Structure formats: C-alpha cells, structure tokens
Amino acid sequence: MAHKISFFLLFLAILATLQLIAALDYTVQNPAATTPGGIRFTNDIGVNHTIKTLSTATAFIWKTFQQNTDADKKKVARVGVFIDDMDGVAYAMNDNIHVSAKYIKGFSGDVKTEITGVLYHEMTHVWQWNGKGHAPGGLIEGDCGFREAGYAPRHWVQPGQGNRWDQGYDVTARFLDYCNGLRSCFIADLNKKMRDGYSDKFFVDLLGKTVDQLWTEYKAKH
C-alpha cells in the first residue's frame, strides 16, 4: 500500500510539473528569415523543434536546480526566441533569447544539435538566480545545464584547465562539477543562495572551504 501511495504522489508531482511547463508560452520569431542563416534555421532547425527544446530544457533546468514549486522559480510567463542577423552566438535578456543567424549560417557541423545546446545554455540564464546582479559574470556563464544534458561542445577544456574559478563557460562549469562531487546538489544549493544576493562565503557555507581553497585543490587533483 505504501508503494502505491508513493507512486501516486510521484505521479502527481510529475503531472504538476508538466502542467506548469504547459502553462508557459513559448514563441519563436525569425526576423532574419531572408538571410542565409535565417533560411538555414527554417530548413534545418525549425520553429517546432525550437519550442520543444525550450520545453524540455525548462524541465531539465528545474530538476537540476531543484525548483520544484512556484515559490522556487522566477515569475516567467513567456519565453521568446528571436533569430537575429547579428554577430556572436546568442544571449538571453528579459526572458527573451536572441540567436545569431550569422552563427547558424557559418556553423559547419550538425547545426540542429548545436543550437539545441545553445538554447539549453540560454534557458539556464532565464531560470537561474544571479544574486540580484551581484554574482560574478563568469559564475553565471559557467552553468552546467547543457553539459549535463549532453550538449557540451567538443572544444571545451579538460577538467583542471583554466586560470580562475570564475573564468566562465567551460572552465567554471568543470569547477562547479567538481564542487558538486563534494556535496550532492551543490549547484542547486548555490543557485538557491543566489536568489537574494551573492557572496563568496556561500562556498564556505556549503563546502566548509573558501572558493580559492577549493580552486587550488581542484587544480591539484588534475
């Protein structure tokens, strides 16, 4: 009987999560539709795949950050994706994700998988807490979301490489993964702490050592 109750409660939790995801409004616009990159987006990626990716990325990120209730999450009702004729790769701002049509045009590999990974990364920015703007930029960019989801680029540095813990992207993601190995759910706990501000002391609170000590030990391990 207890097993049946546990299964039923798990089912209700999954159903509630799916309902929350379904309540979100995802939109995709392609202002660069007539450019080579915009045309490649339409032909090789598409609106339907993009919307599906936003939904699956949201579920994955909520699980990674242990954002299980409305109170745990940012108040986001809509996420928009824009394919713009711009330089760079992508950025997220005000719950909108802007992806470069020029990058799509120039990418030589499997562009659908590449942009899927990019969307996972940018969706992490939509849902993560940033210490009310006080967290180091490199820490914010060093999310583990798309690496854990299997979309980390092949050019990422190996564990132990890099010059600073908050260097960002692959360097910081590898370091955060190391910290997560020291304390289960470290990444989720750190994100929760960054809801109302930021301090390097969070590392001491969670792991009992300063971030500089942890970085030194991480480098020595590898």
Side-chain angles (χ1 to χ4, degrees):
M1 183 65 178
H3 291 297
K4 291 183 178 179
I5 294 174
S6 296
F7 177 80
F8 181 67
L9 292 175
L10 177 61
F11 172 77
L12 289 179
I14 293 172
L15 181 62
T17 299
L18 291 175
Q19 289 175 334
L20 285 171
I21 292 171
L24 286 169
D25 182 24
Y26 300 113
T27 63
V28 180
Q29 298 182 46
N30 187 1
T34 59
T35 69
I39 293 171
R40 190 181 187 192
F41 169 80
T42 299
N43 293 338
D44 296 347
I45 303 169
V47 170
N48 289 340
H49 174 76
T50 300
I51 290 176
K52 180 179 178 181
T53 298
L54 297 178
S55 180
T56 55
T58 290
F60 181 86
I61 294 160
W62 283 352
K63 180 179 178 182
T64 300
F65 286 155
Q66 297 181 350
Q67 295 175 326
N68 301 317
T69 68
D70 284 347
D72 298 328
K73 304 178 182 76
K74 288 183 179 178
K75 304 299 182 185
V76 177
R78 183 191 64 82
V79 178
V81 172
F82 297 84
I83 310 303
D84 293 328
D85 187 23
M86 66 181 196
D87 295 326
V89 179
Y91 68 91
M93 180 180 291
N94 298 326
D95 304 329
N96 290 319
I97 298 171
H98 298 262
V99 181
S100 168
K102 293 180 180 178
Y103 183 75
I104 292 173
K105 171 184 178 293
F107 189 78
S108 60
D110 180 353
V111 72
K112 190 173 187 177
T113 298
E114 173 69 9
I115 296 305
T116 297
V118 168
L119 291 173
Y120 264 75
H121 175 79
E122 298 304 336
M123 281 298 287
T124 302
H125 291 325
V126 171
W127 293 112
Q128 71 188 156
W129 300 107
N130 67 359
K132 291 190 172 179
H134 296 295
L139 175 58
I140 296 302
E141 291 294 345
D143 70 85
C144 295
F146 66 166
R147 180 191 61 74
E148 293 181 351
Y151 294 107
R154 280 179 278 180
H155 63 259
W156 265 26
V157 301
Q158 294 301 307
Q161 294 183 325
N163 300 317
R164 305 186 321 276
W165 74 268
D166 59 349
Q167 192 169 332
Y169 298 102
D170 47 357
V171 173
T172 301
R174 298 289 195 194
F175 173 64
L176 292 177
D177 186 53
Y178 165 77
C179 292
N180 212 56
L182 299 176
R183 174 192 172 104
S184 178
C185 301
F186 167 82
I187 291 171
D189 292 340
L190 179 62
N191 183 66
K192 291 173 185 176
K193 280 183 168 289
M194 292 197 298
R195 181 169 186 158
D196 298 315
Y198 176 78
S199 170
D200 284 351
K201 186 177 177 293
F202 291 164
F203 287 85
V204 178
D205 295 340
L206 295 173
L207 296 174
K209 297 179 181 179
T210 68
V211 67
D212 292 330
Q213 287 176 305
L214 291 164
W215 174 251
T216 298
E217 293 174 2
Y218 164 69
K219 295 285 286 185
K221 178 180 177 180
H222 297 286

